[in-house]
Each structure stands twice: as C-alpha cells, then as structure tokens.
Amino acid sequence: SIASWVLGCFGINGVLSLVLSWVYRKPLAFFWTIPGMVLMGEALTRLPFDEVIGAYLLTGALMLVLGLSGLIGRIMKAIPIAIVMAMVAGVFLKFGTDLIRHVQSDAWIAVPMILVFTTLTVFARIGRFIPPLIGSLLTGLLLISIFDAPNIALDQLHWLAHPVVTAPVLSLRACLELVVPLAITVLVVQNGQGAAVLRAAGHEAPINTIASACGLWSMMTAMVGSVSTCLTGPTNAILVSSGPKESHYIGGITVGLLAMLFGFFSPGFISLLMATPAAFIVVLGGLAMLKVLQTAFQSAFKAQFSFGALVCFLVTVSGIQIASIGAAFWGLLAGYIASRLFEPADFQPTN
C-alpha cells in the first residue's frame, strides 16, 4: 500500500537521518531515490512486485559491500568538485524554472510567497526572527486557507501506518534490469549530489559510511515496498541554506524526527498533502533551491575544469537515459572524460 511505502521512505529513513546527523554532527538527511522510483515504475510494467523487491534487496547488499570496501569514497574523490557541482546545477535547474512558470500560472500564491521571501531576505534584521523560507511557507498556508481550503473531515482520517511486508523473489531478469542502475544512481548520482551540497557549505560527508548505511537501510525499506535509500540533495540543500554551520546538524535531527512522524502517521498526512495545491510545493522548493543553484554554478564554472563542467551540465540537463541509467550519471562521466581530454593541465597537482 501507499502508506507502507511512505512508512519506509520517511519513517525508516528518518531514523537513519536522526542517528547519523547526531553521530557526525552534520546535516545528513536520507530519503528515497526519485530516479530509482521512476526506474521501479517502468520495471513494474514488466516484472511482478516481489521480483522488484528481490532486486532492491540485492542492490542494498551490493551498496553495503561497496561502502565497506572504501571504493565509493575513492571514486568520489577522483571526480573534480567542479564537475560534480555542474551535475548538481543541472539536476536542480528544474526547481528554478518551475518556480518561474508558476509565477505565471499560479500568481495568486506564487507572487505573495516570493515577495515575502524577498522582503525577509533584504531586511535581514526581520529575517533573523522569521527566516525567509519559513515566512514564505506561512504565507502560502495562509493563502491556501483563505482561497483554496481543503474540505477534509479530520476526525474521519485514518492515521497510523501498517507495514505491508512482501516476500522477496530473486530473479535474474529483475536483477539484470535494476541492480546496477539502482546502485549507480544511489551511490554516484544521488549521494554525489548530497555530498557536493554539503561540501559547498563546509561539511565533509563520510562517503563510505553513507554508502554502507544506504545499503543496509535499503534492505530494510525494501521489505515494506520502498525504493532504495539515498543521501538526499534537495533536503540537505535546504538544511545548509541558512544559519551558522555549527548548528546545521540540528536541522538534520529535526528532519529525521519529522520524517519519522510523517512516516508512522502517513495515512492521515497523505490525505492532507494530496489536498494541498501543487503550486505551493513547487514555489517553496524553488525558493529553497535558489541559493543552492547559485553556489553550484559558481563552483562549477569558477576556474579549473570549466569545460568538463559545461559538458556535464549540458548532458545532465538533456535528460538522456541509457541502459536505464539517468542523465546525471552520464553527465558526470562525459564531463570527466571531456576534462581529461581538453583540460589535462587542471589534473596536475599545484605546488
């Protein structure tokens, strides 16, 4: 069921977010891989659900082994940060363009939210008491309550989530189609986004530990039907977008607690969320990503590896998909090869 899936994506992953944010004193928020969810949706048109669950379990085991081996950390260190940030810019660009589109199509909510966000950003003294994103959030909720209030009987909602456990079936066809693309998507693309966002804010993410944790947690979430766990880029970008660096981990702990609350009481929250206008979520996400996009572009095209970063950005934005692996991975690969061919001097160590 949807509630069981959300229980895994939010509730179980919320526990991981809380624990690692507390242990490492860094904002480490974990959720589910969206490209992996798309991949699963396509696979379910050809494969039974229990075989997909079996592929999830094998993917988790593979990620756990790779994380424990230390290989993922070495791979991520070998990719120049400029190329990784170009991939981040390409992935997050849609947040910015969707924000602009909704200014035209849903001006009644988009324009006031943007105006409040801008005012609280410009007048920093006020923004210290009401962060711009929180002010925009409250503005959107107020407008919804006035102009588009959902008609929901709260006393009739079912709240507590009941996990639906599916017995996995290991099949060669499901493993061939899903395991490698899922593992690459999580370990290189999704975790790479999250780590790059954190690094840009001054946090060094423990890559190998994250890979191992994603593998172990993916095996647990698979049992309730959820797609693989990853270090999320957008959520961590929001966590590091304001406030002193030393307190960012508190946001990670808070996100973990809220995710657990949302996951364990998902049936009621899903009903409320479905009644919320899509424009509200899109505008809020777009505003949250503005600073991240700015940092990503600055880091990608600042100096070295700029041509490789450009190639990576263009391939990522193109949205191509080869061998069931999305454009972000191919962007990283193409950007790295381009820099090796056209910018070999940038790989030379500086004295």
Side-chain angles (χ1 to χ4, degrees):
S1 67
I2 295 178
S4 179
W5 184 86
V6 173
L7 172 63
C9 290
F10 285 90
I12 298 176
N13 287 331
V15 175
L16 179 61
S17 301
L18 187 154
V19 171
L20 287 193
S21 294
W22 172 261
V23 170
Y24 284 94
R25 293 297 195 272
K26 300 177 189 294
L28 299 173
F30 294 82
F31 286 118
W32 72 99
T33 164
I34 295 177
M37 185 173 63
V38 174
L39 186 64
M40 177 195 74
E42 295 174 352
L44 284 173
T45 62
R46 300 178 295 276
L47 301 169
F49 188 59
D50 54 2
E51 291 186 13
V52 172
I53 297 300
Y56 284 170
L57 283 174
L58 193 58
T59 302
L62 176 62
M63 292 194 293
L64 177 59
V65 170
L66 290 174
L68 293 175
S69 72
L71 179 62
I72 300 303
R74 293 195 292 272
I75 291 174
M76 294 308 299
K77 285 182 180 179
I79 304 174
I81 185 61
I83 296 175
V84 177
M85 293 306 286
M87 181 265 286
V88 171
V91 171
F92 288 0
L93 183 65
K94 192 174 186 299
F95 286 91
T97 55
D98 284 349
L99 170 64
I100 303 304
R101 290 192 189 97
H102 279 278
V103 171
Q104 180 182 32
S105 61
D106 297 278
W108 67 276
I109 191 170
V111 172
M113 289 177 69
I114 292 172
L115 287 176
V116 169
F117 181 88
T118 303
T119 301
L120 293 174
T121 302
V122 172
F123 297 99
R125 288 186 178 181
I126 305 175
R128 283 186 300 177
F129 299 99
I130 306 176
L133 200 60
I134 298 300
S136 181
L137 168 70
L138 295 175
T139 301
L141 292 175
L142 178 62
L143 290 168
I144 291 171
S145 66
I146 295 173
F147 299 107
D148 195 15
N151 185 18
I152 297 177
L154 296 178
D155 58 335
Q156 296 181 8
L157 292 180
H158 299 287
W159 287 93
L160 192 61
H162 299 284
V164 178
V165 178
T166 302
V169 173
L170 290 177
S171 75
L172 181 61
R173 57 175 182 170
C175 292
L176 289 175
E177 181 172 344
L178 292 174
V179 171
V180 172
L182 262 178
I184 291 175
T185 298
V186 171
L187 296 178
V188 180
V189 178
Q190 302 276 185
N191 289 0
Q193 289 174 29
V197 165
L198 293 174
R199 192 187 308 177
H203 301 285
E204 284 297 326
I207 297 297
N208 292 318
T209 300
I210 288 171
S212 301
C214 286
L216 182 60
W217 248 253
S218 294
M219 296 171 74
M220 289 191 288
T221 59
M223 299 308 297
V224 292
S226 299
V227 71
S228 303
T229 298
C230 71
L231 181 71
T232 171
T235 304
N236 284 301
I238 294 173
L239 292 177
V240 301
S241 62
S242 64
K245 171 188 168 185
E246 294 75 18
S247 63
H248 286 165
Y249 80 96
I250 298 175
I253 293 172
T254 305
V255 164
L257 288 170
L258 292 175
M260 290 166 61
L261 181 66
F262 186 85
F264 295 136
F265 297 96
S266 56
F269 284 120
I270 289 172
S271 299
L272 294 174
L273 189 61
M274 294 294 288
T276 303
F280 169 67
I281 304 297
V282 172
V283 172
L284 195 64
L287 291 172
M289 290 299 112
L290 288 179
K291 191 68 177 178
V292 181
L293 276 170
Q294 180 186 10
T295 302
F297 278 113
Q298 288 173 339
S299 300
F301 302 108
K302 182 168 55 178
Q304 294 180 312
F305 307 105
S306 57
F307 184 73
L310 175 62
V311 171
C312 175
F313 176 76
L314 293 175
V315 174
T316 302
V317 171
S318 74
I320 65 168
Q321 184 169 325
I322 303 172
S324 299
I325 301 174
F329 170 76
W330 299 114
L332 281 175
L333 183 61
Y336 181 82
I337 293 173
S339 279
R340 278 290 182 186
L341 292 175
F342 296 101
E343 302 169 309
D346 289 348
F347 286 91
Q348 300 302 317
T350 56
N351 294 326

